Amino acid sequence: MVHSARVLALPNPKPTPPVSKAALYPLAPKPVGVPARAVRIGRSIVAQLAAPVLTIAFLLILWQILASSPTSALPSPLKVIDDSWEIIVNPFKVGNGIDQGLFWHVTASLVRVGYGYALAAVVGIGFGVLLGQSTLAMRGLDPVFQVLRTIPPLAWLPLSLAAFRDGQPSAIFVIFITSVWPILINTSVGIRNIPQDYRNVAKVLRLSPIEFFIRIMVPATVPHMFTGLRIGIGLSWLAIVAAEMLIGGVGIGFFIWDAWNSSLISDIIVALVYVGVVGFLLDRSIAAVGHLLTRGTAAQ
Amino acid sequence: MAYLTIDHVGISFQRAGASTEVLRDVNLSIDKGEYVSIIGHSGCGKSTVLNIVAGLLEPTQGGVLLEGRAVSGPGPDRAVVFQNHSLLPWLTVRENVELAVNKVFRGKKSKAERRDWTRHNLELVHMAHAENKRPHEISGGMKQRVGIARALAMEPKILLLDEPFGALDALTRAHLQDQVMEIHGRLGNTIIMITHDVDEAVLLSDRIVMMTNGPAATIGEDLRVDLARPRRRLELVGNPTYNDARAAVLEFLYARHRAPTLAA
């Protein structure tokens, strides 16, 4: 079940100031020939990758040992590869109905997340600005939002099915309602945290409301906004799998549910690997965009 | 008529139903080109006086006149140098000053003129070399110099300095005080400076306005410092006028109007 919608305001991650190479390696030798440099870079990549690769190998071996007994309820890694070879090697397969390659299932889920999340970003940032700027709006809307945001995403699904009478918009609505709260609340917190000094500067310069929005509010709030956007994308991905299990059709969630109904446990494991990797990439890509946009606002 | 008049200004703050009177009956007239320091113990409301002149606070009683016109709301004709520099961290040094220049001189100066004017003001505070740095890449003293450049670039009628050197180390502070004196000598700005540093007040000011302790603080004494300009800090050591002024301020602050916390 997806209950983690309650973690909303993470502290604003402070980007670490850039440290020059020279400061890190005060005794670094002068630049040498290309082969020597290639060796050094290669060595550092190996050093970076060694730990995760070894950890994964260890976990796989452990899993293999634990699941090897003939009475084991879950398949071992080798058995997963053996059972699900078909879907592992054919991610782009195009078939009839829900008989599609995993790539297409993931894509269908991503499209739903894309719609719901984009809507949540627009509405969340919009209302976040309103709540941050207006004490009256804060007083009126905050209690409502505080109650609404604690409702688990899936609890909205029956209601949205009743309202939309169709799976696709219902799933999109669930994504929207899941991810809008962290975006909204973090944006409003960001705006409330704009230092009084910046507001005073704007007043002395007599910036217009639009100039204030562009020159001060947006740059000062972007780090908070992206904290919210990042939590939001994570929650969206958590919610879509559960929602799709219930609405059916093409999508990674229903693929998992369908595999369970057909007792294809190995297929479920392959699908979970996809879900995990895609969720990780989503999180990292939002973080990367945020990092790009907040370069200038680094620790002051 | 004085250039700037603070006329019977009083202010009270409401909090949780209780009203606190911070300032009562503050009267002060400042001539064009004068350098006036306001000194007092912390919490006496000296920054509140500055914020009222800046228009950031609305007085409950009385008002402020600049060139005979009542002041209402903040504006670039009363530029403020804030204690903690208040540069926008996402803008470079040049962009911070440019923001002010573009806002104040849009339609009055061409784009090239505005760029030259920005550059000129950065040169005035010896910061042109760092124009492309961001605030977190430069030292505290440098940030404050950029803050001063930003304020000067607005060509204010009066420059308001809110403890501008308070957050700096002693050597940087002395260096910056010399630069402000030099700029004041060159441009003849009218300046109000809030400070709690007696030596700073005596060295820089034409007049030192001493505030009594709150609540309902007001001006206790107004001392003229008759020292020729340009002043050099080394030459003033042992100067009788300097020493007398210093003694008078110290006497006011520590004998007649001790800080309430120290008196206990």
Side-chain angles (χ1 to χ4, degrees):
Chain A
M1 273 290 147
V2 187
H3 283 309
S4 39
R6 273 148 226 185
V7 191
L8 284 163
L10 289 190
N12 170 21
K14 285 235 165 76
T16 43
V19 180
S20 76
K21 279 256 160 61
L24 272 176
Y25 308 110
L27 299 176
K30 292 256 178 308
V32 275
V34 173
R37 222 163 84 198
V39 167
R40 258 218 324 268
I41 292 169
R43 239 183 233 159
S44 89
I45 290 173
V46 170
Q48 290 274 322
L49 285 181
V53 165
L54 284 176
T55 310
I56 292 168
F58 172 76
L59 290 174
L60 285 173
I61 291 167
L62 190 70
W63 174 13
Q64 181 71 34
I65 293 166
L66 288 175
S68 291
S69 108
T71 58
S72 164
L74 296 177
S76 67
L78 290 176
K79 190 159 169 8
V80 168
I81 292 169
D82 193 34
D83 288 351
S84 304
W85 185 246
E86 190 90 340
I87 65 160
I88 294 171
V89 295
N90 288 318
F92 300 110
K93 172 185 164 188
V94 179
N96 293 320
I98 60 158
D99 179 26
Q100 309 290 342
L102 272 173
F103 175 82
W104 301 114
H105 283 289
V106 168
T107 306
S109 301
L110 279 176
V111 168
R112 291 189 184 107
V113 166
Y115 281 122
Y117 180 72
L119 201 61
V122 172
V123 174
I125 290 173
F127 272 91
V129 170
L130 181 69
L131 255 67
Q133 275 297 88
S134 153
T135 309
L136 194 68
M138 182 77 163
R139 282 206 195 116
L141 290 172
D142 192 56
V144 181
F145 289 165
Q146 293 299 341
V147 171
L148 288 183
R149 75 179 178 87
T150 62
I151 298 172
L154 276 194
W156 288 101
L157 191 60
L159 196 66
S160 55
L161 279 171
F164 296 112
R165 295 162 194 281
D166 186 15
Q168 183 76 356
S170 303
I172 290 171
F173 175 77
V174 168
I175 297 309
F176 164 78
I177 205 76
T178 307
S179 52
V180 74
W181 308 120
I183 299 172
L184 191 159
I185 289 170
N186 277 287
T187 303
S188 75
V189 166
I191 285 177
R192 292 205 166 254
N193 282 351
I194 295 175
Q196 189 57 42
D197 296 322
Y198 300 171
R199 292 181 187 275
N200 284 345
V201 169
K203 281 186 195 162
V204 169
L205 288 177
R206 291 213 180 116
L207 294 186
S208 70
I210 292 170
E211 286 169 321
F212 178 72
F213 180 77
I214 297 170
R215 304 308 301 261
I216 294 188
M217 194 194 285
V218 170
T221 316
V222 156
H224 283 89
M225 231 181 251
F226 269 85
T227 305
L229 287 170
R230 205 172 156 186
I231 299 172
I233 196 76
L235 294 180
S236 299
W237 194 238
L238 292 179
I240 190 66
V241 173
E244 283 176 347
M245 284 185 178
L246 297 173
I247 62 161
V250 177
I252 194 72
F254 189 68
F255 176 89
I256 292 171
W257 192 244
D258 191 44
W260 159 245
N261 284 330
S262 320
S263 301
L264 298 169
I265 307 301
S266 295
D267 284 9
I268 296 178
I269 290 170
V270 176
L272 290 191
V273 171
Y274 268 81
V275 172
V277 170
V278 170
F280 173 77
L281 292 178
L282 284 177
D283 179 66
R284 282 306 156 101
S285 49
I286 298 291
V289 173
H291 186 70
L292 204 70
L293 289 179
T294 53
R295 263 180 316 182
T297 67
Q300 51 154 341
Chain B
M1 189 80 191
Y3 189 60
L4 180 100
T5 311
I6 302 177
D7 186 26
H8 294 93
V9 159
I11 192 167
S12 305
F13 292 110
Q14 311 285 339
R15 185 174 289 172
S19 172
T20 319
E21 190 176 18
V22 174
L23 296 175
R24 179 188 291 172
D25 207 26
V26 175
N27 288 295
L28 186 62
S29 293
I30 294 172
D31 289 327
K32 193 166 186 174
E34 252 189 323
Y35 196 127
V36 176
S37 288
I38 300 179
I39 197 166
H41 292 291
S42 53
C44 75
K46 53 192 191 295
S47 284
T48 310
V49 174
L50 192 93
N51 283 333
I52 290 173
V53 175
L56 293 168
L57 288 175
E58 196 75 27
T60 338
Q61 286 110 37
V64 177
L65 296 170
L66 179 59
E67 284 189 317
R69 281 221 299 263
V71 158
S72 76
D77 57 337
R78 284 153 287 128
V80 186
V81 176
F82 298 95
Q83 178 173 11
N84 50 358
H85 67 77
S86 295
L87 299 179
L88 303 175
W90 50 86
L91 299 180
T92 63
V93 162
R94 193 190 62 241
E95 287 165 342
N96 264 290
V97 179
E98 232 164 31
L99 180 68
V101 170
N102 287 341
K103 184 65 197 169
V104 176
F105 296 104
R106 190 183 301 151
K108 292 178 207 149
K109 287 181 196 275
S110 73
K111 211 171 170 191
E113 282 172 330
R114 294 200 300 255
R115 198 177 319 122
D116 289 348
W117 179 241
T118 303
R119 176 91 193 170
H120 169 78
N121 279 284
L122 283 171
E123 276 164 3
L124 208 57
V125 297
H126 308 290
M127 281 302 294
H129 61 92
E131 62 174 11
N132 290 319
K133 292 223 163 86
R134 290 187 196 276
H136 65 91
E137 296 171 306
I138 58 178
S139 71
M142 287 172 150
K143 283 181 216 172
Q144 204 49 279
R145 273 148 67 185
V146 178
I148 292 169
R150 178 173 63 183
L152 287 171
M154 300 178 207
E155 266 189 342
K157 289 179 179 157
I158 185 158
L159 192 59
L160 306 172
L161 310 179
D162 189 1
E163 297 191 30
F165 317 120
L168 305 175
D169 66 89
L171 291 175
T172 312
R173 191 185 306 169
H175 183 63
L176 229 61
Q177 287 165 348
D178 291 344
Q179 282 190 2
V180 167
M181 274 199 286
E182 188 206 316
I183 290 167
H184 177 238
R186 189 138 42 118
L187 305 178
N189 320 71
T190 313
I191 300 179
I192 301 180
M193 176 175 78
I194 304 298
T195 183
H196 49 231
D197 182 328
V198 177
D199 290 296
E200 178 172 289
V202 177
L203 178 67
L204 295 175
S205 322
D206 298 313
R207 272 163 69 198
I208 302 173
V209 171
M210 291 166 249
M211 299 224 5
T212 62
N213 289 316
T218 190
I219 292 171
E221 204 169 314
D222 188 342
L223 178 80
R224 188 160 286 283
V225 184
D226 280 318
L227 285 167
R229 290 183 187 270
R231 299 171 183 170
R232 280 179 244 290
R233 67 180 67 238
L234 283 178
E235 292 166 10
L236 291 174
V237 178
N239 179 312
T241 315
Y242 180 88
N243 286 346
D244 288 351
R246 199 169 172 276
V249 179
L250 287 172
E251 209 256 343
F252 178 92
L253 288 177
Y254 299 106
R256 281 189 283 146
H257 293 276
R258 286 177 68 126
T261 46
L262 298 175

